[in-house]
């Protein structure tokens, strides 16, 4: 068996996922081609040696449909031998793509695989693909479906996270992300997105609010309170969790992940492939795991997936130097910290999706790369990346710096 190694990663900056966002004119294929071209050029990579490209795409319809990574590779000028496939594990898709690539390398069937994801949420809005889970009445009834925002408020209600708690975590995210940019922590891995005339569309994450304060968030109304009451979703949540007397609606746009556009690519391969290409590995993938969790609350999967991955690696949470959890909602990260009893100062030290945004199919690969860069910057050894996933799932990956 071959130990799967990470040789490099790149990502685009994240642009606001609205028609006036800086990346709106760039299709998801263009974003994907941007990171694929950058990964090739900076590693002098012979793309005939890339045996597959696996991208997460969470709304695989319209211009994000068919087989985006294959089309993006052709647009980037890759050799025809580089095949492509796209996957959808909701918010965990980008990290799942990395895990799938690692599996191929570990099995010894492929040398180099590029994993990552792309999502243009300004051009293909969230939920554009529909889906039985939330649309089909039988499926929704069977899974006791409630929207994710109300699930996040359910997490806050069960574990007593107050509005001040989640707002304070959101402010931390913005401040840490702003500091990371100011100190050049993202410079190595973020590549600008260019327009068709050769102009720079975006070179830095667009949604960060460096001067965000508690009073800025305190005036925002909860986003899911009216939906919970009028559509009956609060009642459904309480029916599933009768120990909760009422849902504490604390989440809003300011303490939830931002809707953005972006893409990421991670070069994963075997030692033999790296040696043949003259590349030095930056990290090894120690273990990974996926798991299902209770679908109504749905957002508690990260700690379960992390525990499963840690067990596979023969490690405990105390063996991990850095944690990256996707900040889908503030309460999700707070619950992860409490569930694993970890030091908050080890978690999302460069901010997260509340500040920078969550381009659904790409985020998992992005946070894995951010963790690797931070290990190298600080000289630390191990990191764990994880995401919550719709319909009740979790995914986690453990890496070790070389």
């Amino acid at each position: 068996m071959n130990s799967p190694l990470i040789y490099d990663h790149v990502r685009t900056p994240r642009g606001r996922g609205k028609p006036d966002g800086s990346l709106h004119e760039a299709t998801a294929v263009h974003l994907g081609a941007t990171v694929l071209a950058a990964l090739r050029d900076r590693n002098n990579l012979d793309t005939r040696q890339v045996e597959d490209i696996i991208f997460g795409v969470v709304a695989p319809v319209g211009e994000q449909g068919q087989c985006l990574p294959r089309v993006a590779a052709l647009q980037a000028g890759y050799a025809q031998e580089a095949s492509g496939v796209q996957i959808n594990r909701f918010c965990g898709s980008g990290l799942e793509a990395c895990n799938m690539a690692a599996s191929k390398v570990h099995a010894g069937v492929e040398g180099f695989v590029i994993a990552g994801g792309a999502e243009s949420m300004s051009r293909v809005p969230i939920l554009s693909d529909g889906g039985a889970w939330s649309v089909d009445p039988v499926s929704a009834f069977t899974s006791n479906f409630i929207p994710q925002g109300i699930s996040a408020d359910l997490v806050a209600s069960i574990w007593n996270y107050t509005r001040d708690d989640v707002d304070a975590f959101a402010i931390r995210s913005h401040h840490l992300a702003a500091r990371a940019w100011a100190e050049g922590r993202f410079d190595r891995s973020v590549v600008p997105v260019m327009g068709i005339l050769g102009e720079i569309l975006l070179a830095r994450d667009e949604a960060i609010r460096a001067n965000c304060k508690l009073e800025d968030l305190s005036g925002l109304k909860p986003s899911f309170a009216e939906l919970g009451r009028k559509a009956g979703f609060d009642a459904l949540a309480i029916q599933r969790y009768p120990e909760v007397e009422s849902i504490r609606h604390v989440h809003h746009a300011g303490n939830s992940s931002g809707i953005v556009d972006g893409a990421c690519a991670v070069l994963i391969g075997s030692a033999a492939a790296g040696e043949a290409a003259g590349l030095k590995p930056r990290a090894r993938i120690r273990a990974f795991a996926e798991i299902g969790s209770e679908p109504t609350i749905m957002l508690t999967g990260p700690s379960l997936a992390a525990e499963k991955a840690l067990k596979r690696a023969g490690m405990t949470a105390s063996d991990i130097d850095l944690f990256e959890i996707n900040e889908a909602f503030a309460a999700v990260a707070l619950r992860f910290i409490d569930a694993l009893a970890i030091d908050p100062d080890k978690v999302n030290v460069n901010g997260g999706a509340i500040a920078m945004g969550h381009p659904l199919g790409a985020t998992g690969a992005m946070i894995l790369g951010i963790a690797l860069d931070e290990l190298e910057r600080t000289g630390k050894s191990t990191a764990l990346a994880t995401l919550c996933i719709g319909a009740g799932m979790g995914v986690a990956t453990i890496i070790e710096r070389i």
Side-chain angles (χ1 to χ4, degrees):
M1 291 294 184
N2 301 278
S3 178
L5 304 171
I6 299 176
Y7 286 92
D8 200 11
H9 74 95
V10 295
R11 71 171 178 94
T12 68
R14 289 174 255 196
R16 287 182 297 108
K18 297 181 179 180
D20 63 351
S22 294
L23 294 180
H24 177 62
E25 72 176 67
T27 66
V29 170
H30 181 66
L31 298 175
T34 295
V35 292
L36 289 175
L39 197 64
R40 174 198 61 210
D41 294 346
R42 61 194 256 156
N43 291 285
N44 194 27
L45 187 63
D46 179 355
T47 56
R48 292 173 299 178
Q49 305 307 314
V50 176
E51 299 190 75
D52 205 2
I53 301 168
I54 309 172
F55 266 21
V57 183
V58 175
V61 297
E63 62 191 33
Q64 290 185 173
Q66 296 181 342
C67 189
L68 186 149
R70 171 61 172 174
V71 177
L74 294 174
Q75 185 168 312
Y78 271 48
Q80 66 180 24
E81 288 84 354
S83 61
V85 63
Q86 64 191 50
I87 64 163
N88 183 3
R89 197 190 285 277
F90 297 139
C91 295
S93 298
L95 192 59
E96 180 61 28
C98 294
N99 292 349
M100 287 184 173
S103 296
K104 291 188 172 198
V105 172
H106 184 60
V109 296
E110 293 185 352
F112 278 132
V113 182
I114 294 175
E119 206 86 30
S120 176
M121 300 181 75
S122 69
R123 299 176 64 90
V124 183
I126 189 172
L127 302 179
S128 292
D129 57 331
W133 170 48
S134 56
V135 174
D136 175 60
V138 175
S139 299
F141 178 80
T142 302
S143 63
N144 204 34
F145 167 79
I146 62 175
Q148 277 196 358
I150 294 171
S151 294
D153 287 336
L154 177 59
V155 170
S157 301
I158 291 176
W159 284 285
N160 296 313
Y161 300 127
T162 67
R163 173 66 181 262
D164 284 348
D165 292 334
V166 292
D167 282 357
F169 187 86
I171 292 166
R172 172 188 187 267
S173 182
H174 282 281
H175 290 176
L176 291 178
R179 183 187 71 179
W181 270 110
E183 295 181 357
R185 298 186 187 184
F186 297 142
D187 290 353
R188 177 179 182 182
S189 301
V190 175
V191 296
V193 178
M194 312 300 289
I196 58 174
L197 300 179
E199 77 281 18
I200 294 177
L201 297 180
L202 188 64
R204 294 170 63 93
D205 295 319
E206 190 172 28
I208 300 169
R209 298 168 63 188
N211 298 315
C212 183
K213 299 179 177 63
L214 188 60
E215 51 266 33
D216 297 329
L217 302 183
S218 61
L220 297 177
K221 294 182 179 180
S223 296
F224 310 103
E226 185 174 0
L227 178 65
R229 287 192 293 267
K230 290 188 175 180
F233 289 119
D234 281 4
L236 280 172
I238 293 170
Q239 178 180 304
R240 179 64 183 83
Y241 290 89
E243 66 270 27
V244 178
E245 293 185 5
S246 63
I247 303 300
R248 177 186 294 150
H249 289 288
V250 297
H251 288 95
H252 50 75
N255 57 34
S256 307
S257 56
I259 293 173
V260 294
D261 305 332
C264 182
V266 183
L267 180 61
I268 297 172
S270 65
E275 289 172 6
L279 298 178
K280 293 183 179 180
R282 296 172 59 185
R284 64 174 51 87
I285 296 177
R286 285 279 302 266
F288 53 83
E290 302 82 18
I291 200 166
S293 59
E294 199 283 305
T296 299
I297 202 166
M298 105 178 56
L299 303 175
T300 55
S303 63
L304 304 176
E307 288 169 345
K308 187 175 180 180
L310 287 166
K311 184 177 181 180
R312 286 178 173 176
M315 304 171 75
T316 66
S318 62
D319 296 319
I320 301 297
D321 296 316
L322 296 170
F323 293 87
E324 284 285 335
I325 177 170
N326 183 40
E327 296 171 356
F329 302 90
V332 174
L334 291 173
R335 177 56 196 156
F336 177 78
I337 291 168
D338 289 346
L340 292 185
I342 55 181
D343 182 353
D345 289 338
K346 292 183 175 182
V347 178
N348 294 9
V349 298
N350 293 315
I354 291 174
M356 293 179 282
H358 175 24
L360 301 176
T363 308
M366 286 182 171
I367 65 174
L368 189 68
I370 288 172
L372 172 54
D373 286 350
E374 185 64 14
L375 287 179
E376 291 178 335
R377 188 187 74 83
T378 59
K380 294 179 179 177
S381 179
T382 56
L384 184 151
T386 184
L387 301 91
C388 61
I389 303 173
M393 291 184 283
V395 60
T397 305
I398 298 170
I399 62 172
E400 181 179 31
R401 179 178 64 86
I402 296 176

